Amino acid sequence: MNFTDLQNKSIGLVLSGGGVRGMAHIGALKALKEHQIEAKVIAGSSAGALIGALYAGNRDIEDMLAFFKETPLFKYNFLTINKPGLVDTERYYDIFKTYIPFESFESLNKKLYVVTTNLLKGQEEIFSQGELIMPLLASAALPPVFSPVEMKNSLYADGGIMNNFPTEPLQGQAEIVIGSNVSVIREVNKKEITSSFQLASRTTSLMVYAINRQKIRNCDLVFEPSEVEQIGVLDKKGIEKAYQIGYDHASRVLEDLLQRA
């Protein structure tokens, strides 16, 4: 990879899912901006889709962080007993609209692909045209916490269920593909797998990574900060930490590339 190419060729950006760990994507975006590197097309799943939409809407880094800090994960009047899931995802519509004030994909400043999972058909669906907010809500609707979103007479949920690292929409769309993956795997010790929750979390992470490993390796440049695995997927207290980890990691990768050039 030639550093000059990153500044002169068309860039596609893949943003994985990963909940709060996705704040590392925002750190990576800051590092890219500081090195005068900008993507023209983005594909994202779950948290990556939300950050991709903010980026495609030209929101600055502070606004991106504010969106996640100020959006409540659990709010009493958002709880639901009429839908599957604990929280009614569609109640977040107005909050999303405040930070992503675009009516459609076409009104964004960059091309965006949002991955969702169609629960009834059992397949992934990618949205890139038409109404914007509902597909974003669906892509981030992590079961069983958040209810699926109803669109087109079907139910849609978290894009990461079927495709957590969506490189496919970028084929033929960009000369260079940069991947930011926060669903990472590090070696753990036995003390870190002592409960059923820890066991389930570890095995899910391993499955997700195994499915996407080859796609990650096929990217021209990858940001993959292993330290984010220490941060809980729904732990809002980890927002700043994940952001800083992502920024530090991406800065090191880019500086190493620049020095080799």
Side-chain angles (χ1 to χ4, degrees):
M1 167 58 64
N2 188 312
F3 188 86
T4 305
D5 289 343
L6 289 173
Q7 295 179 316
N8 296 320
K9 291 189 175 183
S10 61
I11 304 291
L13 181 64
V14 185
L15 302 175
S16 77
V20 171
R21 296 171 186 173
M23 302 310 100
H25 294 323
I26 303 176
L29 290 175
K30 181 181 180 183
L32 287 169
K33 184 177 181 180
E34 289 178 350
H35 288 80
Q36 290 81 52
I37 300 166
E38 185 174 0
K40 72 161 192 174
V41 56
I42 308 105
S45 193
S46 196
L50 302 185
I51 294 165
L54 292 162
Y55 182 56
N58 286 351
R59 300 307 295 258
D60 59 32
I61 298 300
E62 290 73 23
D63 283 344
M64 293 184 191
L65 288 171
F67 168 72
F68 289 98
K69 287 178 180 178
E70 296 175 15
T71 300
L73 282 178
F74 302 103
K75 196 172 181 181
Y76 180 74
N77 61 340
F78 283 11
L79 298 177
T80 180
I81 57 173
N82 298 318
K83 296 181 178 181
L86 301 175
V87 180
D88 185 350
T89 304
E90 293 180 37
R91 296 294 298 274
Y92 288 90
Y93 186 95
D94 290 339
I95 298 173
F96 277 38
K97 195 75 172 177
T98 299
Y99 282 90
I100 310 171
F102 296 90
E103 295 299 326
S104 65
F105 281 87
E106 291 83 357
S107 60
L108 292 167
N109 303 101
K110 305 175 191 297
K111 183 66 177 175
L112 175 67
Y113 294 91
V114 169
V115 178
T116 67
T117 298
N118 186 320
L119 293 176
L120 302 190
K121 292 183 178 179
Q123 63 189 33
E124 71 174 274
E125 286 190 28
I126 299 173
F127 289 82
S128 62
Q129 297 177 326
E131 205 270 336
L132 175 64
I133 301 299
M134 292 298 280
L136 289 176
L137 288 169
S139 187
L142 176 67
V145 178
F146 298 99
S147 69
V149 172
E150 186 167 351
M151 297 184 291
K152 301 188 297 184
N153 293 317
S154 196
L155 295 177
Y156 292 82
D158 195 301
I161 298 168
M162 300 291 289
N163 191 350
N164 199 54
F165 193 78
T167 57
E168 296 85 355
L170 301 186
Q171 293 177 4
Q173 300 283 322
E175 296 169 283
I176 292 174
V177 174
I178 298 175
S180 182
N181 177 45
V182 298
S183 293
V184 295
I185 295 298
R186 64 180 174 88
E187 185 174 344
V188 300
N189 58 55
K190 288 190 291 185
K191 292 180 181 178
E192 295 179 79
I193 307 179
T194 57
S195 70
S196 297
F197 176 79
Q198 289 171 327
L199 176 62
S201 178
R202 178 65 173 173
T203 53
T204 300
S205 296
L206 290 172
M207 286 189 293
V208 168
Y209 190 76
I211 291 167
N212 293 286
R213 180 167 44 201
Q214 193 56 52
K215 292 195 291 180
I216 295 166
R217 290 175 177 171
N218 287 342
C219 290
D220 298 292
L221 181 67
V222 177
F223 302 130
E224 203 169 24
S226 59
E227 300 96 324
V228 293
E229 199 190 22
Q230 303 166 17
I231 297 169
V233 171
L234 297 176
D235 181 12
K236 285 191 70 174
K237 291 187 234 180
I239 287 176
E240 279 289 345
K241 184 177 181 181
Y243 163 72
Q244 193 63 47
I245 288 172
Y247 172 72
D248 291 342
H249 174 79
S251 296
R252 286 194 301 271
V253 171
L254 292 170
E255 282 301 314
D256 287 347
L257 197 60
L258 184 57
Q259 287 174 16
R260 288 203 300 271

